[in-house]
Amino acid sequence: MVISFTNQKGGVGKTTSAVNIAASLGALDEKVLLVDMDPQGNASTGVGLIDRNDTCTIYEVITGEAPVEAAIYTTEFKNLDVIPSVIGLAGAELEMTQIENRERLLKRALDSVRDKYDYIIIDCPPSLSLLTVNALVASDGFIIPVQCEYYALEGLVQLMNSVAVVKEYYNPHLSLVGVLVTMYNARLNFSGRIMEDLRNHYPDELFKTAVTRNVRLSEAPAFGTPVLYYDKFSKGAQSYLALAQEIIERTAPEENADGE
């Protein structure tokens, strides 16, 4: 199953969640490909791909300069491969505008390898750009990480409206896998109120597990390591393992329905 992690706002834990859920799915014996579609490349460095100057990336794949297989790298983490990004990806959108069916470039690339993986996780840029549209068109479902803050619901409504357009014109089968609350602080009454609002609006979509603020979670990216491999006993590691299990439970029925 192909799942995009998307939110038009930055700083909501999108990349952190994509990296750590990908690693946690791998630890749970699922074969995973992490696709970094963000020109900032933080998901790439988050799994140890630090120097990418001479590396084939998602940029070469979507511009047709290289086959997708050439951009797949095996990480040191269990069952986890990655297609890295590069800052030049930001300029790829200008090149993509000249290509026919430009919204489906990523889908065409990933279709050739999706049978090799149980999950393909796509980290989208923090904007509703052509890169994000490509990710959503290539996906079976999407996850929305939201910071536990006052404007969380407003941002969700805007994002869902944009996704509705993608579904209408490009990918009618795209579905919401879940809403993921990040940076949660149970000691704040305000956080409790936001969670209650989210439960009222998204009773079935809201994940049971919320990711709390955690020092280990903040430290792990500096070492190019998912938190599970940095400190497996930390709250952050245990939260993302629980979320990975929830994702497996939510998506398994769909896979079984397809005969897999």
Side-chain angles (χ1 to χ4, degrees):
M1 183 172 191
V2 183
I3 302 175
S4 283
F5 281 67
T6 183
N7 194 316
Q8 72 272 28
K9 287 189 63 178
V12 298
K14 175 184 56 62
T15 297
T16 297
S17 296
V19 166
N20 286 292
I21 285 177
S24 296
L25 286 168
L28 293 172
D29 295 321
E30 304 289 339
K31 182 64 176 172
V32 183
L33 174 64
L34 175 65
V35 181
D36 191 349
M37 280 293 283
D38 189 341
Q40 297 177 82
N42 291 333
S44 305
T45 55
V47 294
L49 270 71
I50 307 299
D51 185 2
R52 300 188 299 280
N53 290 333
D54 298 320
T55 301
C56 186
T57 71
I58 194 65
Y59 172 83
E60 285 79 16
V61 173
I62 62 176
T63 56
E65 298 176 29
V68 66
E69 292 83 359
I72 296 176
Y73 297 86
T74 301
T75 74
E76 61 182 281
F77 311 110
K78 183 181 178 182
N79 293 321
L80 181 59
D81 292 345
V82 61
I83 299 179
S85 181
V86 69
I87 193 65
L89 184 61
E93 290 193 81
L94 292 176
E95 300 177 48
M96 292 164 68
T97 58
Q98 308 300 318
I99 303 174
E100 189 176 354
N101 290 322
R102 55 187 176 272
E103 299 86 4
R104 294 183 169 85
L105 295 175
L106 182 62
K107 175 177 170 55
R108 286 203 294 264
L110 294 183
D111 278 351
S112 64
V113 297
R114 66 178 293 160
D115 289 344
K116 299 179 182 179
Y117 297 95
D118 298 305
Y119 290 94
I120 297 178
I121 302 297
I122 306 175
D123 182 37
C124 297
S127 62
L128 296 172
S129 62
L130 185 54
L131 294 174
T132 299
V133 171
N134 260 262
L136 293 173
V137 172
S139 296
D140 303 303
F142 62 103
I143 289 174
I144 309 174
V146 293
Q147 186 176 353
C148 203
E149 64 171 16
Y150 180 75
Y151 293 109
L153 275 172
E154 181 179 313
L156 273 174
V157 172
Q158 293 172 352
L159 180 58
M160 292 301 290
N161 288 339
S162 299
V163 169
V165 175
V166 173
K167 289 183 66 172
E168 180 179 358
Y169 290 100
Y170 305 113
N171 185 2
H173 304 294
L174 183 65
S175 63
L176 175 59
V177 176
V179 176
L180 166 59
V181 172
T182 64
M183 306 178 199
Y184 178 67
N185 188 340
R187 292 175 295 181
L188 299 178
N189 291 333
F190 180 74
S191 292
R193 291 198 298 270
I194 298 300
M195 283 290 286
E196 189 62 31
D197 285 344
L198 288 169
R199 287 193 193 96
N200 290 335
H201 285 82
Y202 299 95
D204 299 321
E205 296 86 356
L206 188 67
F207 284 109
K208 297 175 184 176
T209 306
V211 180
T212 58
R213 292 185 181 274
N214 181 259
V215 173
R216 294 299 193 209
L217 203 52
S218 300
E219 292 174 346
F223 295 89
T225 305
V227 69
L228 182 63
Y229 293 91
Y230 181 65
D231 183 352
K232 65 180 180 180
F233 299 111
S234 67
K235 288 184 178 179
Q238 294 305 307
S239 292
Y240 279 115
L241 269 176
L243 283 163
Q245 188 60 55
E246 281 195 64
I247 290 169
I248 291 171
E249 292 169 359
R250 291 189 182 198
T251 58
E254 289 186 30
E255 293 178 359
N256 291 338
D258 291 337
E260 295 183 12

